[in-house]
Amino acid sequence: MKLTTTLLLVMFDMALARPSPHQTTGKHYDCKSFDIPITVADIPTLALPFLPVADQYQATNVLNTLTARTQSGAAPKVVNVSGIYNIATQYCFPLDQPLSSTLQILTHGIGFNASYWDFYLLSNQGDTQYSYISTVTAAGYSTLSYNRLGISGSTLANPDTEVQSPVELSILVQLTQLAREGKLFDQQPKPSKIIHVGHSYGSHLTNALVAKEPSLSDGVILTGYSYQGSYGSSFLINSNLLLASVANSTRFPPSQYPNGYVTWPSQWSNQYAFFAYPQFDPAVLAQAEATKEPFTIAEFLSFSILSLDAPGFKGPVFYVNAEKDQIGCGFNCTGLVGPGTDAYNAFNGTSDIESVIIAGAGHGLNLHYSARETYGKINDWVKRHGF
Ligand SMILES: *[C@@H]1O[C@H](CO)[C@@H](O)[C@H](O)[C@H]1NC(C)=O
Ligand SMILES: *[C@@H]1O[C@H](CO)[C@@H](O)[C@H](O)[C@H]1NC(C)=O
Ligand SMILES: *[C@@H]1O[C@H](CO)[C@@H](O)[C@H](O)[C@H]1NC(C)=O
Ligand SMILES: *[C@@H]1O[C@H](CO)[C@@H](O)[C@H](O)[C@H]1NC(C)=O
Ligand SMILES: *[C@@H]1O[C@H](CO)[C@@H](O)[C@H](O)[C@H]1NC(C)=O
């Protein structure tokens, strides 16, 4: 399938468009932003094992309980949730390349919005080295990225009952179905193949997607993700479960960010969790901190009720890990992802699993000096698999 850029632009004029998040003039790709309402019906979610927190004292106490030596061991209780949520999406496409008919659907992790995939330093906006979308559109691919539920631009839903992993999974399932049917916007070109790329929590959701609906994806790329969740408590402790509105009531007013929305205290906590010294530009860390997005305690805890075993998935799987990934690997990914590990066994319906480790990088792979190397490995894998 080949489409001219003009045709695409005409189609976008007919879509429900928002202003583009940043100026793309002069680039080899363009992005159009639009909002999609998604209806979620009867999704089993986690009934939180504690009352909604009323203040920071209670949030800190919840952290004590969650990371205590002894845990209750009680089976999680589930409760169904329904709702209609607005999801802010960006569709990016090359301007000066023949279009590939493969669409890449990109799901960002905790602490970021969709701009994780299209990161530019405000102080050096001509520098494309951190933009995944710049790299893959140069290779002819179109991308669909979106702000997950609970991220500004998309609905800031109830942090305790709605911003939960099963709801976010349902949103990814439905976005993928719309993309496959060409219904994201008026006259959207139907892709012949769709591959899913995740980062961190976005990889977790991508893994869960092909566990639940294996036929919806033709291939998955899991970055900053080792399948096992053993290192989550370090992340939680490092965050202090700091209430977003306590962290910065100007940026995260309590009227928009009720108490279940949390973040971490400072750029040093951000570095601990997402960066590996000295393989990053301090200006990138500062910008990541200045633009960080809160997460919810419930989305973190409800990881546990998503099934990750994907024996029905027959497509190829590519793990891309940072050598010094704190959240995914306890600051050492070597030996955690490979044949015989849980990360591989989860995909026992396919024989095509590869993994690579990016030397020196931390969890936020796209924000390290090695970003270009990371994107090169991904592009190479994508091409080798005929996408
Ligand atoms: C992500 O957040 C930054 C900082 O608030 C903002 O400039 C950008 O437009 C956001 N991106 C999206 C896709 O919403
Ligand atoms: C919850 O939703 C599921 C479908 O997702 C349905 O099978 C189940 O009966 C519902 N449970 C309740 C208590 O409504
Ligand atoms: C709080 O957010 C505002 C607006 O984004 C910002 O100007 C200010 O520096 C932040 N304050 C702190 C303490 O981070
Ligand atoms: C693959 O894993 C599933 C569990 O996810 C298991 O039931 C099945 O027996 C495994 N198949 C093989 C061939 O090992
Ligand atoms: C990382 O883990 C591997 C495998 O356990 C080990 O061989 C290596 O020494 C570790 N690296 C560091 C820096 O500790």
Side-chain angles (χ1 to χ4, degrees):
M1 174 184 11
K2 295 228 176 359
L3 276 165
T4 66
T5 298
T6 319
L7 183 52
L8 267 175
L9 288 170
V10 169
M11 290 170 190
F12 279 122
D13 284 343
M14 293 185 272
L16 178 60
R18 285 186 290 118
S20 210
H22 64 81
Q23 191 51 261
T24 52
T25 312
K27 288 189 183 153
H28 62 269
Y29 64 101
D30 202 359
C31 299
K32 295 295 170 186
S33 306
F34 47 99
D35 296 337
I36 301 185
I38 301 277
T39 300
V40 162
D42 273 346
I43 295 292
T45 58
L46 181 72
L48 284 186
F50 46 82
L51 292 173
V53 298
D55 54 29
Q56 185 60 51
Y57 296 100
Q58 291 188 10
T60 300
N61 185 54
V62 163
L63 181 58
N64 280 127
T65 316
L66 292 176
T67 57
R69 179 172 59 83
T70 51
Q71 297 288 321
S72 90
K77 289 199 184 104
V78 299
V79 57
N80 281 357
V81 157
S82 303
I84 301 177
Y85 307 111
N86 196 53
I87 299 300
T89 61
Q90 299 80 41
Y91 190 93
C92 300
F93 53 94
L95 291 173
D96 51 7
Q97 288 280 334
L99 283 172
S100 162
S101 60
T102 298
L103 174 67
Q104 301 196 12
I105 298 186
L106 317 176
T107 304
H108 68 83
I110 278 174
F112 297 100
N113 63 18
S115 295
Y116 174 77
W117 302 108
D118 200 23
F119 187 92
Y120 285 82
L121 259 179
L122 290 171
S123 55
N124 187 5
Q125 297 200 46
D127 178 3
T128 60
Q129 69 173 312
Y130 301 111
S131 172
Y132 178 78
I133 290 176
S134 176
T135 304
V136 299
T137 50
Y141 296 95
S142 302
T143 60
L144 175 71
S145 50
Y146 64 104
N147 290 2
R148 287 186 294 96
L149 186 65
I151 302 296
S152 181
S154 295
T155 304
L156 298 178
N158 184 303
D160 299 316
T161 58
E162 298 182 297
V163 186
Q164 289 226 5
S165 302
V167 179
E168 296 183 51
L169 174 57
S170 175
I171 290 166
L172 175 56
V173 165
Q174 294 189 57
L175 285 177
T176 304
Q177 285 165 338
L178 288 171
R180 280 212 177 272
E181 294 162 5
K183 291 182 179 161
L184 286 171
F185 49 87
D186 199 20
Q187 299 185 44
Q188 177 223 325
K190 270 193 199 176
S192 63
K193 288 181 181 163
I194 291 184
I195 58 178
H196 289 84
V197 190
H199 172 243
S200 185
Y201 179 60
S203 294
H204 199 107
L205 292 173
T206 298
N207 182 161
L209 170 81
V210 295
K212 189 159 195 273
E213 302 279 358
S215 63
L216 281 184
S217 188
D218 296 295
V220 294
I221 300 170
L222 306 170
T223 77
Y225 177 68
S226 67
Y227 175 85
Q228 48 190 302
S230 323
Y231 310 102
S233 64
S234 308
F235 170 70
L236 280 188
I237 295 166
N238 172 64
S239 83
N240 273 198
L241 290 187
L242 178 62
L243 298 179
S245 60
V246 169
N248 189 331
S249 62
T250 311
R251 222 174 120 205
F252 309 123
S255 56
Q256 286 175 48
Y257 291 93
N259 284 342
Y261 282 98
V262 293
T263 182
W264 48 82
S266 71
Q267 75 162 358
W268 311 118
S269 338
N270 193 325
Q271 180 189 334
Y272 172 83
F274 293 94
F275 289 81
Y277 181 82
Q279 293 304 320
F280 63 89
D281 180 341
V284 169
L285 170 60
Q287 188 173 318
E289 179 63 15
T291 58
K292 70 180 175 185
E293 296 285 345
F295 63 102
T296 74
I297 306 172
E299 70 186 327
F300 194 88
L301 296 181
S302 57
F303 279 173
S304 62
I305 61 172
L306 292 186
S307 173
L308 297 176
D309 289 331
F313 183 62
K314 308 294 178 205
V317 178
F318 189 28
Y319 280 96
V320 181
N321 284 116
E323 183 191 12
K324 297 180 177 175
D325 182 329
Q326 178 61 43
I327 299 177
C329 305
F331 212 60
N332 182 358
C333 275
T334 305
L336 284 189
V337 175
T341 63
D342 291 345
Y344 271 46
N345 292 342
F347 297 98
N348 68 6
T350 178
S351 55
D352 190 348
I353 314 180
E354 290 180 30
S355 61
V356 70
I357 289 184
I358 307 298
H363 183 68
L365 278 152
N366 294 9
L367 304 191
H368 286 74
Y369 290 132
S370 49
R372 276 208 177 107
E373 178 194 345
T374 305
Y375 305 156
K377 304 264 191 222
I378 293 176
N379 258 343
D380 172 63
W381 181 92
V382 168
K383 292 259 185 254
R384 270 194 288 115
H385 286 80
F387 290 119

